[in-house]
Each structure stands twice: as structure tokens, then as C-alpha cells.
Amino acid sequence: MSAPSADTGAEAPAGGPGDPGHVATAGLSLSPFRGLRYVPDRVGTLAAVTSPPYDVVDPNRRLDLETADPHNIVRLILPRPEPDDSGDRPDRDTRYRHAARLLKEWQREGVLAADPEPALYVYEQRTHPDSPGGELLQRGLIGALAVSGREAGVVLPHEDVMPRPVADRVGLMRTTRANLEPLLLTYRGHGGAADVIERAVLREPLLTTTTSDGTHHRLWAVTDPAELAEVTRDLATCRALIADGHHRWEMYLRLQREHRHLPRSPWDRGLVLLVDTARYPLRVRAIHRVLYRLPIAEALAAIADQWQVKEVPGPLDTALQALVEAKRHGGNSFLLTGGDGVFWLLTEPDEALLEATVPTGKPEEWRRLDATVLHATLLDHTWQVPDGPDDIGYLHAAASAEREARRSGGTAVLLNPVRESVVRRLAEQGVTMPRKSTSFGPKPATGLVLRNLELS
């Protein structure tokens, strides 16, 4: 364990249409579909009806989105119970029924309308120069991707999933019969699909909007048979890494199995955004932890002499630079704070401790990951913190983690990001990362194009 950290350097029946490997054994298969899109004249602005992905919308943001426009997509992806629901039901069925009813109503009223012919959609995001990660241009293709399980080796997950979020998404999609938001997948193509994208962006877009975070979004339709064939050829020998949307991919797999008796089933495909990172590298960020019930003094006392512990100067941005610098020297490193403006850098863990606590039987690169060591050595062994929502919070922004530690009286554990190459290399070996190890972005906005399975 002394080498540099890796962060730097129920089965479906086989053979039928619902067989997880049936439609994707030859590589990625991305099909055009009739996109369901907001009619600009029927809503305030397109920005007012979009939302971030469902799993990064906190309660306050959800309320803001709901009040921004009565037709905001958040009412579908995070639906409230039906108005006549007394709240006595133990299940979430009324939420899903409410979303399905709204989806039908909005189509009937002309708020949402289907495009006249199937298309692949070129999607462009340009983040604002003043955004946390600076300006970034990302382009990709939105389409209906053939769904296949891990055993097919075509779509590679890199994180495990939790049953409750999967069941929630399954219930929503089953009831609405729609793909309400695209997953984010990365691949490395041979240039054909990327060339189609570059030609499309020279044309007039279907839509353009700027969301509240300053990100500029544009969308084009690709319907020309020759261009669609060029995309098909390029993707046929590629495989993809799930960058964001593991629970929704598992949702696709489960609903595919449920409908395996249907020939040419629309459930055999799911809505995704495919980004060629050879042309447009994604930004990879760390996901930080807040240990709500572990005060910083207790966290430091429990470490004893098992790590090198050094106080580093603040404020937060300065302390994070110390964390980055520690990573350049190799090994595992973490930044701890109680949200009081004092920061502690953990480096050089005891080798015998790592050997005793980090699971064996997986590649050495996985055993050296910061997230692996954090969970196996610090959370499970040293601090004995249960991995539940009452004990651990997962936050994408270091400043948010610092605030939460101050609010709760707990400890924020800040991490360095993992390189995409490491994530992909492990995924290709069938090895998943510890939960909430990475945050890829920018994530696609929800609400720009939907897939209604009844139109497929």
C-alpha cells in the first residue's frame, strides 16, 4: 500500500427482446426518437421550466423551481402527492400518478409537443466564466440508447446503487411511461459522431436558453439519414461509462426486464446524453462528506498517531490548495474542518493500518483510492460511523460541506477528485468505486427534451 494513490495517477432470461445483452452486444446503439419538448409560446421562458437532475435538487431549490413556472419539469421528476391525497397512504403511488396526470395534461394543453420526426439531438452547454469551475464547452448527442447489463460490457457502471432510489425512479417511469431526463454517459469515439455534432452546431438551433447558473444551452435535431448512419458506424465499436445516473440506468434495466415479453419494446432503450471525452473532456469533482454526529475534536482524537495531522491555514480556498499539494506527493490525504475556520490536513496513513482495514481481492488501484480508504479505514474502523443519511451527508461543494459541519456541530471531510481515466480503467475491469466517489459535469439540464415511450 505504499505506492502513490490511484486518485492521481435477479438475472434476466436470455434470448428474447428483453435480454439485457440482446440489443447492445455490438457496441453502442443510439436511436433517434420523437422528442417531447416545451412549446416556447406556452411557458414563461425555457429557463423557467428546466431543472438540474432530480438527485441534486434540495428542498429549497425544489420550491424555487416549482414557483418559477407552473409547468417546471421538477413537478414531474420530483412530484408532489395528488392534491386529494390525505397523506395516509404508506406508498408513493399518488406522487407517480400526479406526475403522469400532469404529463398528459401538459401534452393535451399544448405545453409539451412532440417533434414531427425522429431525431438525435445535439446538445451544447457552455458554462459561465465566473462559475465555480470556470468556462467549459461540452457537446454531445441525446438519443435512445439500447439498454444492456454489466455482463454485456457495453455500458460500464462505476458506482453501486441503493435500492430505495432505484425503486423510486422505477415507480415514476413505470407510471409516466416516459424518460423524463437524460443520463450522462461518456465514450471515446473515432470522430464520426463528433463530426456530425460539429456540422450541426453551424445550423440554426431548435432552442437556446441560459439557466440561472449562467450556463448557456443550445439544442439541434439531426434527422438526415446519412448523418444518422455516420453516428451509428462510429458508436458501433464503442462502449460507454456511466458518468451520472447509475440509479436511473438500473431503473432502465429493471423496466426492460418487466417488459421482456414485448416485441420491439420501447423499454429496451433509455434516454441518454453521450459525450465523446476525446473531444470534450468532462469536469470531474470530488463529493465531500459531512459526519453529522462526529465533532471535529473527537474525530482528531480517534486518529491518534495513525496519520500525520497538520493544521493548515484558512480560509477554505487556501486550505484546499494544501490538500491539492498533498496529493501531488502521493498517498492518501483528506482535509477536515468543523466549520469553524480551522482546517486539519491528514496525510501519510500508517501502512499496517491500511493493510488491516482495506479489503483485499480487488485491484491495487482501487485499494489506494481516497474514497476506499476513507470508508474502509476512517469511517468503518477508526470513527465507526454508520453509512446512513442520519450520520453522513454527501455534498458536491466544499463550501456547503463546511457550512453543514458548522450547522450540525459535526466534521466535514473534504477530498481530492479522481481522474476520469482511473474511473474508466476500474470500470473496464468490472470494479465499482465506493458510493458517491465522483461528480462528473456539467450535468445536462432536465426539461429540454423528453422521451415519451408511447411515441416510440
Side-chain angles (χ1 to χ4, degrees), residues 133-176:
E135 186 174 17
L136 179 71
L137 176 65
Q138 177 174 290
R139 290 173 178 154
L141 284 168
I142 295 177
L145 184 69
V147 175
S148 62
R150 185 182 310 207
E151 68 283 355
V154 176
V155 177
L156 307 173
H158 74 268
E159 288 186 359
D160 293 325
V161 298
M162 297 174 288
R164 282 183 61 184
V166 172
D168 173 56
R169 294 297 96 182
V170 166
L172 181 62
M173 182 178 164
R174 182 193 291 127
T175 309
T176 59

Coordinates of all heavy atoms in Angstrom, one line a residue, residues 133-176:
G133 N -16.2 26.2 -11.7 CA -15.1 25.6 -12.4 C -14.6 26.3 -13.6 O -13.8 25.8 -14.4
G134 N -15.1 27.6 -13.8 CA -14.7 28.4 -15.0 C -15.5 28.0 -16.2 O -16.4 27.1 -16.2
E135 N -15.1 28.6 -17.3 CA -15.8 28.3 -18.6 C -15.5 26.9 -19.1 O -14.3 26.5 -19.1 CB -15.5 29.4 -19.6 CG -16.3 29.2 -20.9 CD -16.0 30.4 -21.9 OE1 -15.0 31.1 -21.7 OE2 -16.8 30.6 -22.8
L136 N -16.5 26.2 -19.6 CA -16.3 24.9 -20.2 C -17.3 24.7 -21.3 O -18.5 25.0 -21.1 CB -16.4 23.8 -19.1 CG -16.3 22.3 -19.6 CD1 -14.8 22.1 -20.0 CD2 -16.7 21.3 -18.6
L137 N -16.9 24.2 -22.5 CA -17.8 23.9 -23.6 C -18.0 22.4 -23.6 O -17.0 21.6 -23.7 CB -17.2 24.4 -24.9 CG -18.0 24.0 -26.1 CD1 -19.4 24.7 -26.1 CD2 -17.3 24.4 -27.4
Q138 N -19.2 21.9 -23.6 CA -19.5 20.5 -23.7 C -20.6 20.3 -24.8 O -21.6 21.0 -24.8 CB -20.0 19.9 -22.4 CG -20.4 18.5 -22.4 CD -20.8 18.0 -21.0 OE1 -19.9 17.8 -20.1 NE2 -22.0 17.7 -20.7
R139 N -20.3 19.3 -25.6 CA -21.3 18.9 -26.7 C -21.4 17.4 -26.7 O -20.5 16.7 -26.5 CB -20.8 19.4 -28.1 CG -20.9 20.9 -28.2 CD -20.3 21.4 -29.5 NE -20.4 22.8 -29.7 CZ -19.5 23.5 -30.5 NH1 -18.6 22.9 -31.1 NH2 -19.7 24.8 -30.6
G140 N -22.7 17.0 -27.0 CA -22.9 15.5 -27.1 C -24.2 15.3 -27.8 O -24.8 16.2 -28.4
L141 N -24.6 14.0 -27.9 CA -25.7 13.5 -28.6 C -26.8 12.9 -27.6 O -26.4 12.1 -26.8 CB -25.4 12.4 -29.6 CG -24.7 12.9 -30.9 CD1 -24.1 11.7 -31.6 CD2 -25.7 13.6 -31.8
I142 N -28.0 13.4 -27.7 CA -29.1 12.9 -26.9 C -29.9 11.9 -27.8 O -30.3 12.3 -28.9 CB -30.0 14.0 -26.4 CG1 -29.3 14.8 -25.4 CG2 -31.2 13.3 -25.7 CD1 -30.1 16.0 -24.8
G143 N -30.1 10.7 -27.3 CA -30.8 9.7 -28.1 C -31.3 8.6 -27.2 O -31.1 8.6 -26.0
A144 N -31.9 7.6 -27.8 CA -32.5 6.4 -27.1 C -31.4 5.3 -27.2 O -31.3 4.7 -28.3 CB -33.8 6.0 -27.7
L145 N -30.7 5.0 -26.1 CA -29.6 4.0 -26.1 C -30.1 2.6 -25.8 O -30.9 2.5 -24.8 CB -28.6 4.5 -25.1 CG -27.3 3.6 -25.1 CD1 -26.5 3.7 -26.4 CD2 -26.4 3.9 -23.9
A146 N -29.7 1.6 -26.5 CA -30.0 0.3 -26.2 C -29.5 -0.1 -24.8 O -28.4 0.2 -24.5 CB -29.4 -0.7 -27.2
V147 N -30.4 -0.6 -24.0 CA -30.1 -0.9 -22.6 C -29.5 -2.3 -22.5 O -30.0 -3.3 -23.1 CB -31.4 -0.9 -21.8 CG1 -31.2 -1.3 -20.3 CG2 -32.0 0.6 -21.8
S148 N -28.4 -2.4 -21.8 CA -27.7 -3.7 -21.6 C -27.1 -3.8 -20.2 O -26.7 -2.7 -19.7 CB -26.6 -4.0 -22.7 OG -25.6 -3.0 -22.6
G149 N -27.0 -5.0 -19.7 CA -26.5 -5.2 -18.3 C -25.0 -5.2 -18.3 O -24.3 -5.2 -19.4
R150 N -24.4 -5.2 -17.1 CA -23.0 -5.1 -17.0 C -22.3 -6.3 -17.7 O -21.2 -6.1 -18.2 CB -22.6 -5.2 -15.5 CG -21.2 -5.0 -15.2 CD -20.9 -5.1 -13.7 NE -21.8 -4.2 -12.9 CZ -21.5 -3.7 -11.7 NH1 -20.3 -4.0 -11.2 NH2 -22.4 -3.0 -11.0
E151 N -23.0 -7.4 -17.8 CA -22.3 -8.6 -18.4 C -22.1 -8.4 -19.8 O -21.2 -9.1 -20.4 CB -23.2 -9.9 -18.1 CG -24.5 -9.9 -18.9 CD -25.6 -9.0 -18.3 OE1 -25.3 -8.4 -17.2 OE2 -26.7 -8.9 -18.8
A152 N -22.8 -7.5 -20.5 CA -22.5 -7.3 -21.9 C -21.3 -6.5 -22.2 O -20.7 -6.5 -23.3 CB -23.7 -6.5 -22.5
G153 N -20.8 -5.7 -21.1 CA -19.6 -5.0 -21.3 C -19.7 -3.8 -22.2 O -18.6 -3.3 -22.7
V154 N -20.9 -3.3 -22.5 CA -21.1 -2.1 -23.4 C -21.3 -0.8 -22.6 O -20.7 0.2 -22.9 CB -22.3 -2.4 -24.3 CG1 -22.5 -1.2 -25.2 CG2 -22.0 -3.7 -25.1
V155 N -22.1 -0.9 -21.6 CA -22.3 0.3 -20.7 C -21.7 0.0 -19.4 O -22.2 -1.0 -18.7 CB -23.8 0.7 -20.6 CG1 -24.0 1.8 -19.7 CG2 -24.3 1.1 -22.0
L156 N -20.8 0.7 -18.9 CA -20.0 0.4 -17.7 C -20.4 1.2 -16.5 O -20.1 2.5 -16.6 CB -18.5 0.5 -18.0 CG -17.9 -0.2 -19.3 CD1 -16.5 0.3 -19.5 CD2 -18.1 -1.7 -19.1
P157 N -20.9 0.7 -15.5 CA -21.2 1.4 -14.3 C -19.9 1.6 -13.5 O -19.0 0.7 -13.6 CB -22.2 0.6 -13.5 CG -21.9 -0.8 -14.0 CD -21.4 -0.7 -15.4
H158 N -19.8 2.6 -12.7 CA -18.6 2.7 -11.9 C -18.9 2.9 -10.4 O -18.0 3.0 -9.6 CB -17.6 3.9 -12.3 CG -18.2 5.3 -12.0 ND1 -18.9 6.0 -12.9 CD2 -18.0 6.0 -10.9 CE1 -19.2 7.1 -12.4 NE2 -18.7 7.2 -11.2
E159 N -20.2 2.9 -10.1 CA -20.7 3.0 -8.7 C -21.8 2.1 -8.4 O -22.6 1.7 -9.3 CB -21.1 4.5 -8.3 CG -20.0 5.5 -8.3 CD -20.5 6.8 -7.8 OE1 -21.7 7.0 -7.6 OE2 -19.7 7.7 -7.7
D160 N -21.9 1.6 -7.2 CA -23.0 0.7 -6.8 C -24.2 1.6 -6.6 O -24.2 2.8 -6.4 CB -22.7 0.0 -5.5 CG -21.6 -1.1 -5.8 OD1 -21.5 -1.6 -6.9 OD2 -20.7 -1.2 -4.9
V161 N -25.4 1.0 -6.5 CA -26.7 1.7 -6.4 C -27.3 1.3 -5.0 O -27.0 0.2 -4.5 CB -27.6 1.5 -7.5 CG1 -27.0 2.0 -8.8 CG2 -28.0 0.0 -7.7
M162 N -28.3 2.1 -4.6 CA -29.0 1.8 -3.4 C -30.5 1.5 -3.8 O -31.0 2.1 -4.7 CB -29.0 3.0 -2.5 CG -27.6 3.4 -1.9 SD -27.6 4.9 -1.0 CE -27.8 6.2 -2.3
P163 N -31.1 0.5 -3.1 CA -32.4 0.0 -3.5 C -33.5 1.1 -3.5 O -34.3 1.1 -4.5 CB -32.7 -1.1 -2.5 CG -31.4 -1.5 -2.0 CD -30.5 -0.3 -2.0
R164 N -33.5 2.0 -2.5 CA -34.7 2.9 -2.4 C -34.7 3.9 -3.6 O -35.8 4.1 -4.2 CB -34.6 3.6 -1.1 CG -35.1 2.8 0.1 CD -35.2 3.5 1.4 NE -36.0 4.7 1.3 CZ -36.2 5.6 2.3 NH1 -35.5 5.4 3.4 NH2 -36.9 6.6 2.2
P165 N -33.6 4.6 -3.9 CA -33.7 5.5 -5.1 C -34.1 4.8 -6.4 O -34.8 5.3 -7.2 CB -32.3 6.1 -5.1 CG -31.7 5.9 -3.7 CD -32.3 4.6 -3.2
V166 N -33.6 3.5 -6.5 CA -33.9 2.8 -7.8 C -35.4 2.5 -7.8 O -36.1 2.8 -8.8 CB -33.1 1.5 -7.9 CG1 -33.6 0.6 -9.0 CG2 -31.6 1.8 -8.0
A167 N -36.0 2.0 -6.7 CA -37.4 1.7 -6.6 C -38.2 3.0 -6.9 O -39.3 2.9 -7.5 CB -37.7 1.1 -5.3
D168 N -37.8 4.1 -6.4 CA -38.5 5.4 -6.6 C -38.5 5.7 -8.1 O -39.6 6.1 -8.6 CB -37.8 6.5 -5.8 CG -38.4 7.9 -6.1 OD1 -39.6 8.0 -5.9 OD2 -37.6 8.8 -6.5
R169 N -37.4 5.7 -8.7 CA -37.3 6.0 -10.2 C -38.1 5.0 -11.0 O -38.7 5.4 -12.0 CB -35.8 6.1 -10.6 CG -35.0 7.2 -10.0 CD -35.6 8.6 -10.4 NE -36.4 9.2 -9.3 CZ -37.0 10.3 -9.4 NH1 -36.9 11.1 -10.5 NH2 -37.8 10.8 -8.5
V170 N -38.0 3.7 -10.6 CA -38.8 2.7 -11.3 C -40.3 3.0 -11.3 O -41.0 3.0 -12.3 CB -38.5 1.3 -10.8 CG1 -39.6 0.3 -11.3 CG2 -37.1 0.8 -11.2
G171 N -40.8 3.4 -10.1 CA -42.2 3.7 -9.9 C -42.6 4.9 -10.7 O -43.7 4.9 -11.4
L172 N -41.7 5.9 -10.8 CA -42.1 7.1 -11.6 C -42.1 6.8 -13.1 O -43.0 7.2 -13.8 CB -41.0 8.2 -11.3 CG -41.2 9.5 -12.0 CD1 -42.6 10.1 -11.6 CD2 -40.1 10.5 -11.7
M173 N -41.1 6.1 -13.6 CA -41.1 5.9 -15.0 C -42.1 4.9 -15.5 O -42.7 5.0 -16.5 CB -39.7 5.3 -15.5 CG -39.6 5.1 -17.0 SD -37.9 4.5 -17.5 CE -38.3 3.9 -19.1
R174 N -42.4 3.9 -14.6 CA -43.4 2.9 -14.9 C -44.8 3.6 -15.1 O -45.6 3.2 -16.0 CB -43.5 1.8 -13.9 CG -44.5 0.7 -14.1 CD -44.7 -0.1 -12.9 NE -43.6 -0.9 -12.5 CZ -43.0 -0.9 -11.3 NH1 -43.5 -0.1 -10.4 NH2 -42.0 -1.7 -11.1
T175 N -45.0 4.5 -14.2 CA -46.4 5.2 -14.2 C -46.5 6.3 -15.3 O -47.5 6.4 -15.9 CB -46.6 5.8 -12.8 OG1 -46.4 4.8 -11.8 CG2 -48.0 6.3 -12.7
T176 N -45.4 7.0 -15.5 CA -45.5 8.1 -16.5 C -45.2 7.6 -17.9 O -45.6 8.2 -18.9 CB -44.4 9.2 -16.2 OG1 -43.1 8.6 -16.2 CG2 -44.7 9.9 -14.9

